[in-house]
Amino acid sequence: MFNTLQDLMLHNKSITYVLMGVVLICFVGFWHFLTDKEERKRRY
Amino acid sequence: MKRRHFLGLLGAAGVTLGSGAVATAASSADIKGLPNAGGVLFDATRCIGCRKCESACNQVNSLPAPAKPFDDLTVLDTKRRTDAKTYTIVNKYVPQASKPPVFRKIQCNHCIDPACASACFVAAFKKMETGAVVYDESVCVGCRYCMVACPFNIPAYEYDKAFTPRVMKCTLCHPRILEGKLPGCVEACPKEALTYGKRRELLNLAWDRIGANPGLYVEHVYGEREMGGTSWLTIAPKPSLAALDMNEGLGTASAPELTSGALAAVPAVAGIWPVLLTGLYAITKRKDKIAETEKQQAVAAAIAKASADAQAKLSEELAKAEVANKRRIEVEVQKALEAAATAAAAEGEDS
Amino acid sequence: MSTENAKSGSLFTPWNIVAGLILAAGIVVTIMRFTMGLGSVTNLTDNNPWGIWIGFDLLCGVALAAGGYTTSAACYIFGFKRFHGAVRPAILTAFLGYAMVVFALNYDVGRPWRLVYPIFYQQGTTSILFEVGLCVFIYLTVLFLEYLPAALEWKRGFDKYRGILVKMTMGLTILGVILSTLHQSSLGALYLIAPSKLHPLWYTAYLPVMFFMSSMFAGLSMVIFEGTISHKHFHHKMDAEYNGGYEDLQLAFAKAAAWIMAGYLAMKIFGLSMDNRWQYLGTGYGVWWLVEVFGFVAMPCYCYAVAYRDRNLKLARIAAPWTVLGIVLNRFNISLVAFNWQLPSVDRYFPSFGEIVISLFVVTIGVLIFRFIVTRMPIFYVHPAYKDSSH
């Protein structure tokens, strides 16, 4: 429970910013997972 | 597992983008508000413009002495605002020429959801349980966005300090309240124009006074809803609040509500953009690859066609050459025969 | 800064003298600012906490440095590989632009040594300014990494690191576009919190969208504009690849800018109609709004369109600085002219001499560093040792 809308938003946004960073890094990893076989095929 | 995890987040981001306001409304169930927070009711009909509140404020907050003393009431002839050395001021207004002037005290209104707190990128402002909005100078960078954001033009800045400039504003005497004392200005007021109490009780008191004197007051408690509501409430005599320079067009949306849509778009961009842009990149790359393959095929076909054409041309040429050769031989034979015939004839004539 | 003077070695060209005077004045004001406080050199007041150090140095600086993300996105994401020669100058301009923005912020904030607090010490995540600060901080790093290969080619012997950076190109480009989208739009969103202070013609919920869209054509226009100037002064530094694609690029960017400006105009109109602000068009502010929107968006947009249709490079090169001027006008209107519009004229803001000096000082430093780098590093040409590289 939070006293004010401001306090609630501060809490929610802080967590969301951290998640955004995590998600962006995960995107890179998943893109590699998704495409690394096609790259390999092309290379050899 | 990982994939499902961020697809879910992506979906959530999309929904938030579409309905920033809805998301805010839905989460207000998590907010208990500050039902017992304190506040002050200022009744402009009682204020006589004695500046005792200004003096008390200056004293309890240990602010520098003003250029003109507090008992000099000519100061009231010019409109003032709060500044780095003054947390509160009283302004004089003459709404109707035939009637006596009206005074209004101006200080931080201690919003329930303060614009300064919402705007501060180091979270230096905090709404306390006492109702006060307090400022922490130990983290302040001095960007002054709080001053841009404040709809009441209250925070002031120490522009003349090179190393330790601070944002300056009324604290509702938060330290004194914690000690069980009244705010300095409230204690000093000789006419009970200022009343300290719980905000919800002050609201009742304000409406009771308006109800008891319908001819006297403007039927509006300023701060009940303005910018989502403020802990400091003001009631004023007729004809209007605007005559006392009170902005009636502030609306009821609090500062966090004004920015929640834009803030909700941030994670949406972080979720959608990488997918879209990488997708575009992949499509471009694939198109390039197809174009490249097609080019190679076209080149190969062209080469094949060209060599086939050449082959055909060669055999055609060969055939042509053969015909021409034959003809040339025939012509030569003809020529030889004719020559032989002529020679034989000439020989016959001679002999 | 003409090339002949640079070759003959004379320091006392008219441009250098002006630059020297600005630098000298800038240093004096800098000393005053940091020893006697903001009040000693600025006209900032409690009612006007943000002056041209925000309105010009931050808002215009960031918008006009948008060429970095637009050009690199066009080349690497949208597949316009023939514009490859333009990426490095655009990235360098953007990097220096952002570096100057951050440099100028040190003058504006009260305690600049705490500028890292919002990122590393206490995060005020409800603030739009936090978002701007975080994005600018990360994007400056991204631009530095994108620029770094040029510096590493200049000082040979770092091929391993250069290789790693070149491999990251795609990721950095996409990250750059994300960060740019966020902070360009957030600069507009800064003003969403003050509906009572910004004139209704400029205050709209579309402010973030408008700032983002206008940053795109601001960036494109800057690339055209800056390319034209660089061509005059650094022609001897340019190789066939850069020169070959140069005219094509200007026309293609003119086309893109015209099209995006059409969208921006649409948003300007929708902004009025969504909030029913038509009645303000008849006032003085309304006339000024029309000057901004028609004189500095619609007209250069039309010029760009004609320039592209007729392959008229001259016209495109006129439309570019015109559009840039329009962006500056828009940012000034929002941060200064239409802000605090209800205050009496005595309480309104006008920049002091010191503020103007510092703004010029910052721009001059940026130009000087740009000149230093392009005359030494492989910016306008491909380094002979890396001819086959795709970066």
Side-chain angles (χ1 to χ4, degrees), chain B residues 177-260:
Chain B
I177 291 173
L178 290 181
E179 288 169 20
K181 293 185 202 158
L182 284 174
C185 55
V186 176
E187 197 176 70
C189 184
K191 303 299 279 184
E192 290 186 349
L194 295 168
T195 315
Y196 177 84
K198 286 182 181 171
R199 182 178 184 268
R200 56 189 160 87
E201 287 163 12
L202 291 176
L203 266 176
N204 289 337
L205 176 64
W207 281 113
D208 284 349
R209 286 193 198 167
I210 292 171
N213 298 284
L216 180 63
Y217 290 99
V218 177
E219 287 180 353
H220 186 130
V221 178
Y222 196 83
E224 183 174 10
R225 283 189 231 282
E226 272 71 20
M227 291 296 285
T230 60
S231 290
W232 197 288
L233 304 165
T234 301
I235 50 176
K238 283 183 171 174
S240 71
L241 299 178
L244 306 186
D245 274 356
M246 295 160 94
N247 190 344
E248 289 171 293
L250 291 179
T252 57
S254 66
E257 289 172 283
L258 289 171
T259 50
S260 68

Side-chain angles (χ1 to χ4, degrees), chain B residues 58 155 185 297 350:
Chain B
N58 178 280
C185 55
Q297 280 170 353
D350 289 347

Side-chain angles (χ1 to χ4, degrees), chain C residues 91-92 94-102 116 119-120 132-149 165 168-169 171-177 179-180 183 391:
Chain C
I91 292 287
L92 174 65
F95 171 56
L96 290 179
Y98 276 87
M100 289 304 111
V101 164
V102 174
V116 294
I119 297 165
F120 296 111
V132 173
L134 184 65
C135 282
V136 168
F137 169 73
I138 302 175
Y139 189 44
L140 188 62
T141 314
V142 167
L143 281 170
F144 177 68
L145 293 177
E146 286 186 297
Y147 151 76
L148 207 52
L165 286 169
M168 287 163 65
T169 303
L172 288 177
T173 303
I174 291 180
L175 184 58
V177 177
L179 293 169
S180 294
H183 71 261
H391 188 271

Side-chain angles (χ1 to χ4, degrees), chain A:
Chain A
M1 288 291 278
F2 296 90
N3 284 337
T4 61
L5 176 59
Q6 169 61 25
D7 289 352
L8 174 73
M9 280 177 76
L10 189 63
H11 174 259
N12 294 355
K13 303 294 167 197
S14 301
I15 293 173
T16 312
Y17 270 109
V18 174
L19 282 177
M20 268 188 259
V22 172
V23 162
L24 284 176
I25 293 164
C26 287
F27 271 146
V28 176
F30 185 63
W31 179 254
H32 278 286
F33 172 70
L34 189 68
T35 58
D36 67 345
K37 276 197 173 170
E38 71 180 43
E39 293 285 337
R40 202 172 298 155
K41 211 192 253 170
R42 197 176 301 155
R43 212 169 290 155
Y44 298 121

Side-chain angles (χ1 to χ4, degrees), chain B residues 81 118-119 121-123 137-138 140-145 147-148 150 153 157 159 162-163 165 263 273 281 284 288, chain C residues 35 38-39 44-47 49-50 77-79 81 108 110-111 113-114 118 122 124 126-127 170 181 190 196-197:
Chain B
R81 61 152 285 166
S118 176
F121 69 168
V122 284
E137 65 161 290
S138 71
C140 179
V141 180
C143 72
R144 308 186 299 285
Y145 188 32
M147 298 162 68
V148 168
C150 178
N153 280 328
Y157 200 62
Y159 287 109
F163 303 108
L263 285 171
W273 245 209
Y281 162 70
T284 316
D288 283 356
Chain C
T35 52
L38 279 164
L44 297 175
T45 62
D46 293 332
N47 282 330
W50 284 359
I77 300 176
F78 296 98
K81 293 210 182 78
D108 186 73
R111 305 195 199 196
W113 48 93
R114 288 180 176 176
Q122 183 162 302
T126 56
S127 173
M170 245 347 271
T181 309
L190 282 179
S196 60
K197 294 186 181 176

Side-chain angles (χ1 to χ4, degrees), chain C residues 151-168:
Chain C
L152 295 181
E153 288 167 18
W154 177 47
K155 295 276 177 211
R156 304 296 306 279
F158 298 97
D159 282 11
K160 203 175 106 194
Y161 301 104
R162 184 191 166 278
I164 296 169
L165 286 169
V166 169
K167 264 191 199 142
M168 287 163 65

Side-chain angles (χ1 to χ4, degrees), chain C residues 106-371:
Chain C
N106 283 283
Y107 284 80
D108 186 73
V109 301
R111 305 195 199 196
W113 48 93
R114 288 180 176 176
L115 262 177
V116 294
Y117 274 27
I119 297 165
F120 296 111
Y121 187 63
Q122 183 162 302
Q123 294 80 10
T125 50
T126 56
S127 173
I128 304 277
L129 199 60
F130 172 78
E131 206 272 315
V132 173
L134 184 65
C135 282
V136 168
F137 169 73
I138 302 175
Y139 189 44
L140 188 62
T141 314
V142 167
L143 281 170
F144 177 68
L145 293 177
E146 286 186 297
Y147 151 76
L148 207 52
L152 295 181
E153 288 167 18
W154 177 47
K155 295 276 177 211
R156 304 296 306 279
F158 298 97
D159 282 11
K160 203 175 106 194
Y161 301 104
R162 184 191 166 278
I164 296 169
L165 286 169
V166 169
K167 264 191 199 142
M168 287 163 65
T169 303
M170 245 347 271
L172 288 177
T173 303
I174 291 180
L175 184 58
V177 177
I178 297 166
L179 293 169
S180 294
T181 309
L182 289 175
H183 71 261
Q184 294 282 1
S185 58
S186 289
L187 285 176
L190 282 179
Y191 290 89
L192 288 177
I193 205 166
S196 60
K197 294 186 181 176
L198 188 58
H199 190 281
L201 281 172
W202 281 272
Y203 186 92
T204 148
Y206 298 136
L207 266 175
V209 181
M210 287 176 181
F211 266 59
F212 176 54
M213 291 184 84
S214 56
S215 82
M216 284 193 265
F217 61 77
L220 296 170
S221 299
M222 274 305 277
V223 172
I224 300 176
F225 181 53
E226 185 252 299
T228 311
I229 296 176
S230 293
H231 239 254
K232 252 183 215 159
H233 297 290
F234 304 112
H235 194 79
H236 59 294
K237 283 282 169 193
M238 295 170 177
D239 68 359
E241 191 200 341
Y242 181 88
N243 281 317
Y246 164 67
E247 295 190 348
D248 264 1
L249 171 118
Q250 291 204 326
L251 287 172
F253 274 25
K255 178 187 180 185
W259 190 235
I260 298 167
M261 286 165 94
Y264 176 73
L265 278 171
M267 291 313 295
K268 276 285 194 187
I269 309 271
F270 294 157
L272 289 196
S273 90
M274 280 297 280
D275 296 328
N276 194 27
R277 299 278 157 82
W278 304 105
Q279 73 273 20
Y280 290 100
L281 285 179
T283 64
Y285 276 102
V287 174
W288 189 236
W289 188 87
L290 290 170
V291 167
E292 180 200 313
V293 172
F294 286 94
F296 289 88
V297 184
M299 283 171 68
C301 166
Y302 180 71
C303 283
Y304 268 142
V306 172
Y308 174 71
R309 279 166 54 95
D310 301 345
R311 294 190 64 82
N312 184 344
L313 275 169
K314 238 183 208 166
L315 188 58
R317 286 168 192 168
I318 293 170
W322 193 354
T323 308
V324 168
L325 220 65
I327 294 291
V328 175
L329 181 65
N330 172 256
R331 302 304 194 256
F332 271 23
N333 278 345
I334 287 169
S335 62
L336 308 170
V337 178
F339 191 77
N340 273 339
W341 66 291
Q342 282 169 314
L343 286 186
S345 54
V346 289
D347 290 337
R348 298 299 303 274
Y349 163 87
F350 193 82
S352 71
F353 179 70
E355 290 178 84
I356 296 170
V357 165
I358 289 300
S359 286
L360 289 174
F361 178 66
V362 170
V363 173
T364 308
I365 291 180
V367 173
L368 288 176
I369 299 178
F370 183 83
R371 187 169 70 163

